[in-house]
């Protein structure tokens, strides 16, 4: 079984790509999706967030929601908005956000490789979210949300990617947020064979985002497996970028209170583990080991005591250091998944969002983090460990709807 393989993509008709392309299902609330899809009957949100077409308050995990997704997909197929390619292909997918450009392959990735650890993960999953993705895949008989993967430096794959993305794309969309999405179809037999072989030589691929989607695909494959015959459900929809092109933004923290401490006492406690320096403006961390702290009206720069920097790939992450030396011992926040006193802010919102959350009185303090590096992510995955919750925020985001994987 190959690490990746081409497949017959389900895609928008070229002149409908902009009508269909939508943000990922898991970055919008139901109400946000309802607003985004208003007046857009062919938006993929009608498939990925179908509760928007049901009465307000509908449980997004109700059976009627998955049935609505099937109905909406059928309408888009019948109207010719979506069509399926006649031949198995790879696809090149390019994202452009300002000056940042990244180009990768859309492929069907092996569930067996995922199960065996050759496609490596770095996060725990939640059963309820896995269940949702399983029900969505089974209802649609398709995987519509791609898993974001990274491949380690490989000059041969990079060269093939440049070939695949030469010439005019078959679809090009500039989304509402200004990000450009472009797709090229790769149906040349020789190029397909070279791409497959190049990936077969790779020791591993790394999940960047999409742990619930890949876990759900594995469950569906297990349920559908019969004998030794290979089935399309033995693969999952993935977009695979060179790791050095991927952009991780900071994933920041805000807390509701100082655990009964005054600001002065809070800073004294922090000073036992970090150096604390007042900053004249927003304190964006310049390197690992640094954290920006915002208290009402004032920024501070924190730098971890070098003696506290461990060798372990998880423990040395800035998000781990903050939890182990500040959030836990000073603020009493030990469980980032369940503690209601902490919230998380993606770096795409900027440090101004942290100031806003504190200035409003909603939060007592904010922590600006240095972005986790791809090398750190890969080191954690190679060690078979998992990262703390909310460690990475990838930008730009993939669009839903530009290529889907039908399970024959």
């Amino acid at each position: 079984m190959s690490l990746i393989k081409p497949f017959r993509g389900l895609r928008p008709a070229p002149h409908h790509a902009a009508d269909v392309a939508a943000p990922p299902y898991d970055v919008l609330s139901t109400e946000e999706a309802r607003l985004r899809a208003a007046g857009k009957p062919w938006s993929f949100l009608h498939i990925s967030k179908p509760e928007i077409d049901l009465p307000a308050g509908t449980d997004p995990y109700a059976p009627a929601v998955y049935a609505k997704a099937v109905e909406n997909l059928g309408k888009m197929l019948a109207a010719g908005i979506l069509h399926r390619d006649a031949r198995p292909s790879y696809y090149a997918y390019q994202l452009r956000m300002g000056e940042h450009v990244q180009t990768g392959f859309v492929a069907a990735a092996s569930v067996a490789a995922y199960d065996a650890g050759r496609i490596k993960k770095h996060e725990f999953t939640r059963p309820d979210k896995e269940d949702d993705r399983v029900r969505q895949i089974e209802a649609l008989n398709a995987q519509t949300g791609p898993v974001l993967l990274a491949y380690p430096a490989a000059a041969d794959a990079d060269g093939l990617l440049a070939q695949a993305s030469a010439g005019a794309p078959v679809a090009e969309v500039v989304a509402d947020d200004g990000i450009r999405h472009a797709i090229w179809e790769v149906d040349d037999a020789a190029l397909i064979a070279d791409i497959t072989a190049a990936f077969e030589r790779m020791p591993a691929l790394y999940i960047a985002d999409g742990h619930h989607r890949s876990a759900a695909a594995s469950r569906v494959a297990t349920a559908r497996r019969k004998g030794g015959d290979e089935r399309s459900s033995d693969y999952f929809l993935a977009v695979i970028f060179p790791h050095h092109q991927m952009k991780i933004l900071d994933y920041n923290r805000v807390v509701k209170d100082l655990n009964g401490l005054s600001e002065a006492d809070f800073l004294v406690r922090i000073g036992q583990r970090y150096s604390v320096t007042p900053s004249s403006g927003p304190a964006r961390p310049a390197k690992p080991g640094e954290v920006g702290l915002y208290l009402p009206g004032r920024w501070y720069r924190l730098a971890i005591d070098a003696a506290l920097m461990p060798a372990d790939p998880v423990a040395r992450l800035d998000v781990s250091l903050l939890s182990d030396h500040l959030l836990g011992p000073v603020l009493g926040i030990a469980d980032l998944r369940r503690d209601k006193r902490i919230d998380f802010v993606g770096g795409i919102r900027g440090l101004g969002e942290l100031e806003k959350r504190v200035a409003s009185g909603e939060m007592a303090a904010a922590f600006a983090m240095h972005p986790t590096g791809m090398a750190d992510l890969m080191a954690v995955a190679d060690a078979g460990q998992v990262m703390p919750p909310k460690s990475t925020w990838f930008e730009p985001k993939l669009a839903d709807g530009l290529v889907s994987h039908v399970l024959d």
Side-chain angles (χ1 to χ4, degrees):
M1 184 177 291
S2 300
L3 180 60
I4 66 169
K5 66 182 294 186
F7 65 100
R8 294 174 54 211
L10 178 68
R11 302 189 291 113
H15 56 291
H16 282 297
D19 300 326
V20 172
Y25 80 97
D26 54 353
V27 303
L28 298 177
S29 69
T30 297
E31 287 311 309
E32 288 171 332
R34 201 186 304 274
L35 290 172
R36 286 285 194 102
K40 300 178 180 178
W42 305 128
S43 169
F44 208 78
L45 289 170
H46 295 286
I47 294 170
S48 62
K49 300 282 287 185
E51 69 270 20
I52 66 176
D53 296 322
L54 296 171
T58 297
D59 179 357
Y61 303 138
V65 172
Y66 304 100
K68 192 66 176 178
V70 175
E71 177 187 336
N72 290 341
L73 175 59
K75 289 179 180 177
M76 293 175 74
L77 289 168
I81 303 301
L82 297 176
H83 71 90
R84 194 169 179 205
D85 290 328
R87 294 178 293 181
S89 302
Y90 288 120
Y91 304 86
Y93 186 162
Q94 186 176 88
L95 290 163
R96 183 183 295 273
M97 181 177 70
E99 297 300 313
H100 174 79
V101 179
Q102 63 188 69
T103 310
F105 287 111
V106 184
S110 166
V111 167
Y114 167 83
D115 290 340
R118 189 177 171 197
I119 297 178
K120 300 188 177 189
K121 50 194 174 185
H122 66 268
E123 285 184 5
F124 288 125
T125 57
R126 285 174 42 184
D128 59 332
K129 291 193 172 184
E130 274 190 37
D131 292 345
D132 168 55
R133 291 300 89 192
V134 168
R135 289 192 290 264
Q136 199 250 11
I137 292 169
E138 292 286 18
L140 295 173
N141 199 43
Q143 298 154 350
T144 59
V147 177
L148 178 63
L149 299 179
Y151 68 80
D156 55 348
D158 292 350
L160 294 168
L161 192 51
Q163 291 183 51
S165 57
V170 294
E172 187 172 8
V173 174
V174 177
D176 294 344
D177 56 8
I179 294 171
R180 175 185 176 269
H181 304 256
I183 299 284
W184 290 260
E185 184 179 0
V186 184
D187 58 0
D188 177 79
L191 185 53
I192 285 174
D194 287 345
I195 293 168
T196 303
F199 276 84
E200 206 55 43
R201 291 189 289 270
M202 293 181 187
L205 299 176
Y206 297 83
I207 298 176
D209 194 16
H211 285 79
H212 291 95
R213 279 160 273 180
S214 50
S218 176
R219 286 172 52 183
V220 170
T222 299
R224 294 189 175 200
R225 197 165 291 140
K226 294 181 180 179
D229 294 339
E230 185 176 287
R231 304 167 68 91
S232 56
S233 55
D234 290 325
Y235 290 81
F236 61 88
L237 179 66
V239 184
I240 317 168
F241 292 98
H243 86 279
H244 56 83
Q245 289 188 10
M246 299 182 74
K247 188 177 183 66
I248 304 179
L249 300 185
D250 40 310
Y251 215 154
N252 303 311
R253 280 86 168 110
V254 288
V255 296
K256 290 183 180 295
D257 61 71
L258 301 183
N259 201 27
L261 298 170
S262 67
E263 285 189 15
D265 289 340
F266 178 54
L267 291 171
V268 169
R269 289 287 303 276
I270 293 174
Q272 296 171 4
R273 304 293 181 94
Y274 289 83
S275 66
V276 181
T277 306
S279 175
S280 59
R284 184 177 295 280
K287 61 183 180 179
E290 292 185 357
V291 177
L293 166 65
Y294 185 70
L295 296 173
R298 191 66 182 268
W299 279 98
Y300 298 85
R301 292 188 180 276
L302 312 181
I304 191 73
D305 185 333
L308 299 176
M309 186 70 76
D312 180 83
V314 175
R316 69 182 293 109
L317 296 172
D318 285 329
V319 289
S320 298
L321 293 169
L322 187 75
S323 290
D324 294 342
H325 298 292
L326 199 161
L327 295 180
V330 178
L331 294 178
I333 298 173
D335 188 341
L336 300 188
R337 296 178 186 276
R338 295 181 176 85
D339 199 311
K340 302 299 185 184
R341 296 168 56 219
I342 188 167
D343 198 8
F344 306 89
V345 181
I348 194 70
R349 296 181 180 273
L351 298 190
E353 179 69 13
L354 303 185
E355 295 180 352
K356 177 182 174 184
R357 298 283 293 271
V358 173
S360 70
E362 175 196 4
M363 296 292 174
F367 300 93
M369 310 302 298
H370 189 267
T372 301
M374 275 301 300
D376 294 321
L377 182 154
M378 294 163 71
V380 170
D382 286 338
Q385 299 189 55
V386 295
M387 301 175 85
K390 311 296 185 183
S391 294
T392 55
W393 180 280
F394 284 90
E395 286 288 346
K397 302 291 187 187
L398 301 171
D400 278 356
L402 290 179
V403 186
S404 296
H405 180 219
V406 176
L407 304 185
D408 292 310

